Amino acid sequence: MTDVIRDTIDRILTRVNAIGAGGPGFTRPSYSPLETEAHGVIEEEAGALGLGVTRDAGSNLFARLPGRDRSAPPLYIGSHLDTVPMGGAYDGVAGVAAAMALVAHFVERGETPPCDIVATVTRAEESVWFPVSYIGSRAALSRLTAEEMEARRADTGRTLADHMREEGGDPDRVLAGPGLPAATFLELHIEQGPLLDTAHEPFALIEGVRGGLRYRFAAIEGVWAHSGGAPRHLRSDAVFALADMISALDRDWAEMLEAGHDLAVTVGRVDAATDEHAFAKVPGRVGFCLDMRSIDPAVLDEMDRRLGRIVSRIEEARGVTFRLGPSSRSTPSALSKTLADRLEEAAGPLGFSPRRMVSGGGHDAAAFAAAGWTSGMVFIRNWDGSHNPDEGMDPADLADAVRCVAAAWADAQARPA
Amino acid sequence: MTDVIRDTIDRILTRVNAIGAGGPGFTRPSYSPLETEAHGVIEEEAGALGLGVTRDAGSNLFARLPGRDRSAPPLYIGSHLDTVPMGGAYDGVAGVAAAMALVAHFVERGETPPCDIVATVTRAEESVWFPVSYIGSRAALSRLTAEEMEARRADTGRTLADHMREEGGDPDRVLAGPGLPAATFLELHIEQGPLLDTAHEPFALIEGVRGGLRYRFAAIEGVWAHSGGAPRHLRSDAVFALADMISALDRDWAEMLEAGHDLAVTVGRVDAATDEHAFAKVPGRVGFCLDMRSIDPAVLDEMDRRLGRIVSRIEEARGVTFRLGPSSRSTPSALSKTLADRLEEAAGPLGFSPRRMVSGGGHDAAAFAAAGWTSGMVFIRNWDGSHNPDEGMDPADLADAVRCVAAAWADAQARPA
């Protein structure tokens, strides 16, 4: 017996991942010919299903399956096809494959959903290329700014407007609007974390997307000294000061979690490895990044206050100077509880009881939520991390999640009495 | 009134520091034509004083002022003229200038010292060029090995034997020996630490040279993960693990000092700044160096045991793996108490009461002590660290120390009754 959901998922994963710059892993830059070529695969697949395909001014792609009530707000379901450099086989494309599998399911059964279902392929979700968040979805919503259109791509140095134009978009029309009217957006995406895999659960429903507070260009300045000659009480050791900071933040992090708050703290980059650093020198400088995330903006505010106190205490104790540099913030986004409830209700009879959790990473769903849409996400269990060539996912888990979405959008009026 | 000690010091500092590769700072590689050119300056200066100059098979230079008792073991006094890359104006050359100022003092006064005084210019003290310690002095003592002769210079990739030959040495004769018979060696050198400057003391007498225990190629392996997606209890964060290690070593260090032990702990290099590291990734790896120094080998043994326990505890708690890599040890060297007492006795009447302290860095004096010589050091106050272009020293402090040495070697039989 063929399984159109699983077959569609497998075929689209294979076809899209055949497109990319040389390995290791998968590289499809935002607004690149490679991303456009991947969008072309979805256009073909939609054509084979007999769906009408449109592109908006941001060159996002929409494949529409008409519903019973054409005036009801549609269900937009999808994700993106760009990747980070040397990224994985699932971040983005899994959600697009799921959307196509959902519409294929309805088409194969000759079933009409209660509202239009629009398989949606956004552009430029990975902010590593342009320093702008959720570019494609915000283009669809006409929420990009003229300044953001001038952002330059990390590899080419050319502007977003230029690249968008080259890939069939129209920056002026994006800015002029209007964007899509509010409807429902649903995104299936790999978890990018080990929680579901560790708990042996195939998928989960997402309550919100964490906001972030980031110091990307922080440094500590101490005093260079000879490792044999400088006594402990006369040192201003930048690396020991950083260890103090990390230990203090780690204690606060544990305390916040114990108090029931949501928080993640990461020091992803530490640089005391320049030509100036040597094994026999007390380090006079260390550069680092600090990334704190929470679903609750008040928790980020509180951690920022604590960071300030920690920094003052260490500066005093160690005779060093912290240069935290500019901080950037992203606002946490609550996702739709109604949407999650609807999916949970459909999942039960299929034998699933997905947990609710929050997303640590940013996703297009956050952009739709910010624009007032009913927006939701389903996380698919994955392993070996994300944004790397080893990123793992079982397509069977994705197919199970799609079956729940299909059940949640089955037309009640079409069901046998 | 001219001051031959101060004049000689100033002139030799100026002449030698005019020789070097382009700045910033001063660069005279070990066994390079630049080091040889600097040795030539000392040969000229010695000739002007009417001293006989010899070079040994290692191309070290000796300028001899005959003493009253030609059969008594001579006082060898001196230091080296090579520098680290972009080093300072005093590390090494100050000790050579002091030696020449001492003999100039005797020559100018027509005074004969009780024993021969041999101004000594060693080669290749800075182990950054060849990965071998105290090359020149160990060549003089015939304590280099055939294997060490094959060590390659960091910049040229060519062997020590080759470079030694090019600068007038004879590696085979160095290996064949015999080395110099045991006598007295005295080295004046900048402190390379802030202790004397902070305490407003011009110079100090050195009791010993710290030994070291070094892990130069250590790393911690964790698990790469998405900074938003990985919950705290499922992370294996290499950087947080390193912070744990540094904090634990710092506590142990403070405890050892409180118990009266000598110890210095330095993590001079931390590398979590590769292409794989990013602000939004939990770091799966960090490289680092660890350098622990003490005058007491038992303290290094105890710290190594504690390090082992710290590592096991962190591996267990954080799910990371430490790869400490190979360790290297250098043995602490006790310097001569008799020699320090003799200098202290001479310093008193001149208005100085130099403290006793240990040296954190390695020096030629350690090689002579290891060979059974009566070996000692005087540290000169300095500031702005060492091994960098800003290395500071007041020549007046060096001149004061030379005056004490001159007083200590004044011939008792020549003194007025």
Side-chain angles (χ1 to χ4, degrees):
Chain A
M1 200 185 92
T2 65
D3 172 350
V4 70
I5 288 179
R6 178 62 196 272
D7 290 350
T8 305
I9 286 170
D10 289 349
R11 194 177 58 253
I12 290 181
L13 289 175
T14 304
R15 291 191 65 189
V16 170
N17 284 327
I19 299 166
F26 305 87
T27 303
R28 290 184 297 272
S30 302
Y31 284 110
S32 67
L34 292 167
E35 189 193 39
T36 300
E37 192 183 340
H39 279 230
V41 167
I42 307 307
E43 181 171 23
E44 268 182 43
E45 292 274 341
L49 292 173
L51 307 183
V53 167
T54 56
R55 287 191 172 81
D56 68 6
S59 209
N60 299 294
L61 184 145
F62 305 95
R64 183 175 297 253
L65 173 69
R68 190 175 38 75
D69 180 357
R70 299 300 311 268
S71 65
L75 167 66
Y76 290 80
I77 178 170
S79 192
H80 61 97
L81 295 178
D82 60 325
T83 67
V84 298
M86 295 177 280
Y90 304 104
D91 181 355
V93 57
V96 174
M100 293 304 293
L102 180 71
V103 291
H105 162 86
F106 281 102
V107 169
E108 194 208 32
R109 295 162 69 112
E111 205 176 305
T112 303
C115 62
D116 287 7
I117 297 182
V118 184
T120 302
V121 192
T122 61
R123 289 269 183 175
E125 195 269 347
E126 299 291 0
S127 61
V128 66
W129 301 104
F130 297 100
V132 178
S133 294
Y134 319 133
I135 295 173
S137 45
R138 289 173 60 231
L141 296 160
S142 192
R143 291 168 78 95
L144 281 179
T145 65
E147 199 189 335
E148 288 171 326
M149 282 293 185
E150 299 307 310
R152 288 173 188 277
R153 207 170 83 178
D155 56 340
T156 65
R158 294 169 52 235
T159 66
L160 172 55
D162 279 352
H163 280 283
M164 188 182 281
R165 217 173 275 119
E166 275 175 18
E167 304 311 323
D170 181 343
D172 295 334
R173 268 210 298 134
V174 167
L175 295 176
L180 286 175
T184 296
F185 182 77
L186 180 62
E187 183 173 14
L188 280 66
H189 200 283
I190 57 167
E191 181 198 342
Q192 302 183 283
L195 206 139
L196 294 176
D197 186 43
T198 306
H200 307 291
E201 299 173 22
F203 58 89
L205 304 171
I206 308 310
E207 297 177 301
V209 176
R210 281 176 172 157
L213 169 61
R214 292 161 186 177
Y215 292 93
R216 291 175 78 148
F217 309 101
I220 304 173
E221 285 167 14
V223 178
W224 298 99
H226 190 290
S227 71
R232 186 170 185 275
H233 68 284
L234 293 177
R235 289 187 182 206
S236 299
D237 184 324
V239 161
F240 273 59
L242 181 63
D244 287 349
M245 186 203 80
I246 292 173
S247 298
L249 285 176
D250 193 31
R251 280 190 295 273
D252 284 352
W253 182 11
E255 196 183 307
M256 295 298 258
L257 293 183
E258 256 170 57
H261 298 297
D262 176 62
L263 182 64
V265 180
T266 307
V267 176
R269 213 178 147 78
V270 176
D271 191 357
T274 68
D275 287 350
E276 243 178 320
H277 294 88
F279 84 94
K281 272 161 102 172
V282 178
R285 191 174 200 280
V286 58
F288 67 99
C289 296
L290 174 62
D291 176 19
M292 299 197 284
R293 302 194 186 200
S294 176
I295 193 67
D296 182 355
V299 169
L300 295 178
D301 290 338
E302 171 62 18
M303 286 304 289
D304 208 21
R305 275 191 296 274
R306 291 188 183 206
L307 175 65
R309 288 196 295 266
I310 289 167
V311 161
S312 301
R313 198 178 63 229
I314 298 171
E315 286 185 334
E316 170 97 19
R318 294 222 180 249
V320 297
T321 306
F322 279 71
R323 309 247 181 246
L324 289 178
S327 66
S328 60
R329 283 190 83 135
S330 62
T331 313
S333 305
L335 296 182
S336 168
K337 190 181 175 304
T338 315
L339 190 47
D341 288 347
R342 180 172 180 171
L343 289 164
E344 182 177 281
E345 215 174 290
L350 295 174
F352 299 106
S353 47
R355 73 164 72 197
R356 306 280 172 116
M357 62 183 284
V358 299
S359 168
H363 296 288
D364 283 320
F368 287 96
W373 286 44
T374 299
S375 185
M377 290 192 80
V378 179
F379 266 2
I380 312 302
R381 156 169 60 189
N382 90 295
W383 52 87
D384 288 340
S386 180
H387 285 187
N388 73 66
D390 296 331
E391 194 179 81
M393 183 200 76
D394 185 347
D397 291 338
L398 185 61
D400 283 339
V402 171
R403 275 185 273 275
C404 293
V405 179
W409 264 264
D411 193 346
Q413 298 186 10
R415 280 181 196 154
Chain B
M1 197 185 97
T2 65
D3 174 351
V4 70
I5 289 179
R6 179 62 194 270
D7 290 350
T8 304
I9 287 171
D10 288 349
R11 193 176 59 251
I12 290 182
L13 289 175
T14 304
R15 292 191 66 188
V16 169
N17 284 326
I19 299 165
F26 304 86
T27 303
R28 290 185 296 272
S30 303
Y31 284 109
S32 67
L34 292 167
E35 189 194 38
T36 299
E37 193 183 338
H39 278 231
V41 167
I42 306 308
E43 181 172 21
E44 267 182 46
E45 291 274 342
L49 292 173
L51 307 184
V53 168
T54 56
R55 286 191 171 82
D56 68 6
S59 208
N60 299 294
L61 184 146
F62 305 94
R64 182 176 297 252
L65 173 70
R68 189 176 39 76
D69 179 359
R70 298 298 313 267
S71 65
L75 167 65
Y76 289 79
I77 178 169
S79 192
H80 61 97
L81 294 178
D82 60 328
T83 67
V84 298
M86 295 178 280
Y90 304 104
D91 181 355
V93 58
V96 174
M100 293 304 294
L102 179 71
V103 290
H105 162 86
F106 281 102
V107 169
E108 192 208 32
R109 297 163 69 111
E111 204 177 305
T112 302
C115 61
D116 286 6
I117 296 182
V118 185
T120 302
V121 193
T122 61
R123 288 271 184 175
E125 194 270 347
E126 298 290 0
S127 60
V128 67
W129 301 104
F130 297 99
V132 178
S133 295
Y134 317 133
I135 294 173
S137 45
R138 288 173 59 232
L141 296 160
S142 191
R143 290 167 78 95
L144 281 179
T145 66
E147 200 189 336
E148 287 172 325
M149 282 293 185
E150 298 308 311
R152 286 171 190 279
R153 208 170 83 179
D155 56 341
T156 66
R158 294 170 52 236
T159 65
L160 172 55
D162 280 352
H163 280 283
M164 187 181 281
R165 217 174 275 121
E166 274 173 19
E167 304 311 324
D170 181 342
D172 295 335
R173 267 210 299 134
V174 167
L175 295 176
L180 285 175
T184 296
F185 182 77
L186 180 61
E187 184 172 13
L188 278 65
H189 200 283
I190 57 168
E191 181 198 343
Q192 303 183 285
L195 207 138
L196 294 177
D197 187 42
T198 306
H200 307 290
E201 299 173 22
F203 58 89
L205 304 172
I206 306 310
E207 296 178 301
V209 176
R210 281 177 173 156
L213 170 59
R214 293 162 184 175
Y215 292 94
R216 291 175 79 146
F217 308 101
I220 304 173
E221 284 168 13
V223 178
W224 298 99
H226 190 290
S227 71
R232 186 169 185 275
H233 68 285
L234 293 177
R235 289 188 182 205
S236 300
D237 184 324
V239 161
F240 274 59
L242 181 63
D244 287 349
M245 186 203 80
I246 292 173
S247 298
L249 285 176
D250 192 31
R251 281 190 296 273
D252 284 352
W253 182 11
E255 196 182 307
M256 296 298 258
L257 293 183
E258 256 170 58
H261 298 296
D262 176 62
L263 181 64
V265 179
T266 307
V267 176
R269 213 178 146 80
V270 176
D271 191 356
T274 68
D275 287 349
E276 245 178 320
H277 293 87
F279 85 95
K281 271 162 104 172
V282 177
R285 190 173 199 282
V286 59
F288 66 97
C289 297
L290 175 61
D291 177 19
M292 300 197 284
R293 302 193 186 199
S294 176
I295 193 67
D296 181 354
V299 168
L300 295 178
D301 289 339
E302 172 61 18
M303 286 303 289
D304 207 23
R305 274 192 296 274
R306 291 189 184 206
L307 175 66
R309 288 196 295 267
I310 289 166
V311 161
S312 301
R313 198 179 62 229
I314 298 170
E315 287 186 334
E316 171 98 18
R318 294 225 180 247
V320 296
T321 304
F322 280 71
R323 308 248 182 247
L324 289 178
S327 65
S328 59
R329 283 191 83 133
S330 62
T331 312
S333 304
L335 296 181
S336 167
K337 191 180 173 305
T338 314
L339 191 46
D341 288 347
R342 180 171 181 172
L343 290 165
E344 183 178 281
E345 214 174 293
L350 295 174
F352 298 105
S353 48
R355 73 165 71 197
R356 306 281 170 116
M357 62 184 284
V358 299
S359 168
H363 296 287
D364 284 318
F368 286 97
W373 286 44
T374 299
S375 185
M377 290 192 80
V378 178
F379 266 4
I380 312 301
R381 158 168 60 187
N382 90 295
W383 52 88
D384 289 340
S386 180
H387 284 188
N388 74 65
D390 296 331
E391 195 179 82
M393 183 200 78
D394 185 346
D397 290 338
L398 185 61
D400 283 339
V402 171
R403 275 186 273 274
C404 292
V405 180
W409 264 265
D411 194 346
Q413 296 187 12
R415 281 182 198 152

